[in-house]
Amino acid sequence: MRFEIAKAMDSVRAAAGRAEADPTRPVYHFRPPAQWMNDPNGTIFHNGWYHVFYQHNPYGDAWGHMHWGHARSRDLVHWEHMPMALWPSREEGEAHCFSGCTAIDGGGRPVIFYTSIPTAEGPRQGAEQWAAVGDDELVVWEKHAGNPILSGEMHGGMEVLEWRDPFVFREGSRTFMVLGGKLEERDGGEAVVLVYEAEDEGLERWRYGGVLFRHADKGLRSIECPNFAKVGDRYVLMFSPYGPVEWYAGEFDADAVSFRVEERGRVDASGNYYATNVLYDGEGRCVLFGWVKGFEGGRGWNGCAGLPRVLSLRRDGRLGQEPAPEVEKLRGGSVRFPETELGNGEWVMDGVGGDTLEIAVEIEPQDARAFGLRVRRSADGARGVAIRWEAGSLDVAGVKAPLELDEQDKTLRLHVFVDKSVVEVFANGRECVTRVVYPEPQDLGVEVFAEDGGVVVKSVEVWEVVPIW
Ligand code: FRU
């Protein structure tokens, strides 16, 4: 029913004026033309295009009526909105098209796998994993005639609750899928990542392979949006546990279908960042997308994606995250300051400011106890969004990430993106904190500060960022 797309897209268009008029809406983070978005879905690089699909409610600026929106880009930063890719097949008793992934099958055919949620009144019970088949351009999608592709019965009597968000990965010539869920067991249950293996090239027949990962927190409600990606010579499992996104790096044994964890951490310390997805591009980079959430309601839009992050495995075994270098294309005018010593106090950067900025700063503490950067600073300094390091921890507007400075060079390297109501912080190439903030519109200043001692500001550069929309 192409009619469904026309109706949904009309509704989005009708809300666009209101969304565009909102001065708090991000201008260089990816987002739909209007209305609600949550998880990035089915991220893939195919035939020279980056594709992002996303959980989308075309009919409102709150969660509901889950469709898959679609956009594509040549360069990871400028996006072209495409027709809606998936919408619920009401005639089949489907209420929502939940999150999932895009894979290319053995014959080169694009396939979306997603979680199909039934209507309350329909005959179906519980979630199933469905497929849709795409054309070469990944624009037109038809639901697979053989749906469901995976159903709960395949677990042989074991009940999996909140079973959702398929993610497909390849190891050698084999194709696997992970799904999140919860097993009802003693002690209130167990949040798990389950693994499946394709039995055919067309990815139509799957076999259950067991529990790949069990969460240590037995009180956890469930695991959402698992991604399992090879980064460097390790596998990294990332998922969303109804709180900050976690990563676990380790070894995947495809024969035993098991995962041995060696290191763990948080992808982003903040609850404003959730439901990630990854793609590998033509350069073999693993690029991460996430959903920036927690915006105020009732504005004709809600939700955007985090900047594309290039993942790496660092020598210390930690997950490295850097903004994709393509984001530099959006740099406008800039100011750069030479090395500056700052005693106890504030250095307000004269004539520098804005609400769409990129800031790169390197600060080496001398005897300061705490230090950092403040953006969206009010002229009198009474207000601002502080990014503050103290005693092995970085605090971004009240959310803390552990961050020990290197013994040798002791330097705090902040890469900060201010985009209206979003502040996305990369620290020392590994810790990220994304925040949704609502400063006063006139609060646009930038300052470096040092408390109870001095610092050396080794370098600082500030760019205006050019809107992509
Ligand atoms: C995560 C999530 C997924 C689900 C989707 C529904 O934000 O809850 O688990 O598939 O959103 O929109």
Side-chain angles (χ1 to χ4, degrees):
M1 268 207 298
R2 299 283 129 194
F3 168 73
E4 288 285 345
I5 304 191
K7 199 173 79 173
M9 292 179 68
D10 272 353
S11 167
V12 174
R13 257 191 300 274
R18 188 149 151 259
E20 269 155 33
D22 180 1
T24 71
R25 192 183 191 207
V27 297
Y28 66 90
H29 280 73
F30 172 80
R31 42 63 172 177
Q35 305 289 40
W36 171 269
M37 90 162 251
N38 53 293
D39 319 356
N41 291 153
T43 49
I44 189 169
F45 180 75
H46 185 63
N47 290 345
W49 290 96
Y50 293 94
H51 294 264
V52 169
F53 302 86
Y54 52 90
Q55 290 285 284
H56 189 27
N57 178 6
Y59 299 110
D61 58 11
W63 188 91
H65 311 282
M66 281 297 117
H67 288 51
W68 276 40
H70 180 199
R72 67 178 184 185
S73 166
R74 284 280 187 203
D75 66 359
L76 272 178
V77 286
H78 299 93
W79 296 92
E80 176 187 354
H81 290 300
M82 304 298 287
M84 215 77 67
L86 297 180
W87 59 92
S89 302
R90 305 284 312 185
E91 68 288 1
E92 310 265 344
E94 187 177 49
H96 301 286
C97 302
F98 270 19
S99 287
C101 64
T102 308
I104 307 298
D105 79 2
R109 183 179 66 155
V111 190
I112 282 176
F113 292 97
Y114 72 97
T115 301
S116 172
I117 301 292
T119 54
E121 61 279 6
R124 270 175 57 201
Q125 297 279 310
E128 294 173 341
Q129 314 312 325
W130 283 26
V133 175
D135 66 321
D136 273 351
E137 306 283 287
L138 311 191
V139 177
V140 181
W141 296 88
E142 298 289 346
K143 302 232 172 123
H144 198 293
N147 283 331
I149 303 294
L150 291 83
S151 64
E153 285 113 60
M154 72 193 299
H155 301 116
M158 178 179 84
E159 198 187 357
V160 184
L161 303 174
E162 309 214 34
W163 184 48
R164 57 174 175 262
D165 308 336
F167 178 90
V168 167
F169 66 99
R170 290 230 155 73
E171 174 56 45
S173 58
R174 301 164 68 182
T175 304
F176 297 91
M177 177 189 287
V178 284
L179 280 155
K182 166 141 177 161
L183 306 181
E184 269 310 325
E185 285 175 1
R186 274 171 296 135
D187 308 330
E190 203 169 25
V192 291
V193 176
L194 304 164
V195 65
Y196 307 81
E197 180 167 5
E199 294 183 316
D200 66 324
E201 293 254 295
L203 310 182
E204 288 169 345
R205 294 195 315 274
W206 295 79
R207 136 177 103 234
Y208 174 53
V211 177
L212 187 71
F213 177 87
R214 292 171 194 272
H215 204 283
D217 176 1
K218 300 301 171 214
L220 194 63
R221 173 168 161 191
S222 190
I223 283 178
E224 299 188 294
C225 300
N227 312 137
F228 198 55
K230 199 160 194 182
V231 182
D233 63 354
R234 288 290 183 272
Y235 262 91
V236 179
L237 174 68
M238 285 165 279
F239 56 75
S240 298
Y242 288 85
V245 181
E246 299 177 5
W247 65 262
Y248 295 76
E251 246 174 301
F252 174 58
D253 180 339
D255 294 322
V257 199
S258 69
F259 180 51
R260 192 169 52 81
V261 173
E262 295 162 347
E263 286 277 342
R264 53 172 289 190
R266 279 177 170 173
V267 170
D268 197 296
S270 169
N272 291 126
Y273 188 88
Y274 201 69
T276 56
N277 226 311
V278 296
L279 61 77
Y280 294 97
D281 72 1
E283 297 160 47
R285 299 183 302 178
C286 186
V287 183
L288 178 83
F289 297 83
W291 165 37
V292 181
K293 60 179 277 198
F295 295 95
E296 287 174 359
R299 293 169 178 264
W301 69 278
N302 200 316
C304 71
L307 294 174
R309 301 180 180 178
V310 177
L311 300 184
S312 63
L313 206 71
R314 297 157 51 92
R315 253 177 294 161
D316 59 8
R318 311 292 299 168
L319 185 69
Q321 301 186 70
E322 297 277 7
E326 284 90 335
V327 177
E328 293 172 12
K329 286 189 180 182
L330 301 178
R331 288 175 175 172
S334 77
V335 196
R336 183 190 199 118
F337 297 91
E339 185 170 298
T340 308
E341 276 189 40
L342 174 65
N344 183 35
E346 299 167 357
W347 168 30
V348 181
M349 285 171 217
D350 263 348
V352 175
D355 57 5
T356 55
L357 298 176
E358 175 186 350
I359 302 165
V361 60
E362 299 192 337
I363 309 174
E364 189 188 309
Q366 303 295 289
D367 52 354
R369 183 175 50 84
F371 55 94
L373 185 73
R374 281 215 299 167
V375 297
R376 300 301 304 259
R377 180 189 191 276
S378 62
D380 64 0
R383 297 182 299 269
V385 176
I387 303 155
R388 181 174 182 273
W389 189 91
E390 181 180 3
S393 165
L394 188 73
D395 182 316
V396 182
V399 167
K400 286 194 174 67
L403 183 65
E404 290 299 342
L405 299 182
D406 188 271
E407 291 274 312
Q408 233 100 81
D409 81 346
K410 282 202 186 70
T411 304
L412 174 67
R413 293 191 176 79
L414 294 177
H415 203 157
V416 178
F417 295 86
V418 178
D419 188 5
K420 306 287 184 172
S421 48
V422 174
V423 175
E424 193 168 349
V425 176
F426 296 76
N428 288 26
R430 62 174 196 274
E431 296 302 327
C432 291
V433 191
T434 302
R435 301 288 281 136
V436 171
V437 294
Y438 289 95
E440 296 294 323
Q442 70 275 19
D443 294 355
L444 300 171
V446 178
E447 113 193 354
V448 179
F449 64 88
E451 294 171 17
D452 297 334
V455 297
V456 178
V457 184
K458 296 210 281 198
S459 69
V460 51
E461 186 155 12
V462 183
W463 295 266
E464 270 171 54
V465 182
V466 179
I468 58 170
W469 303 108

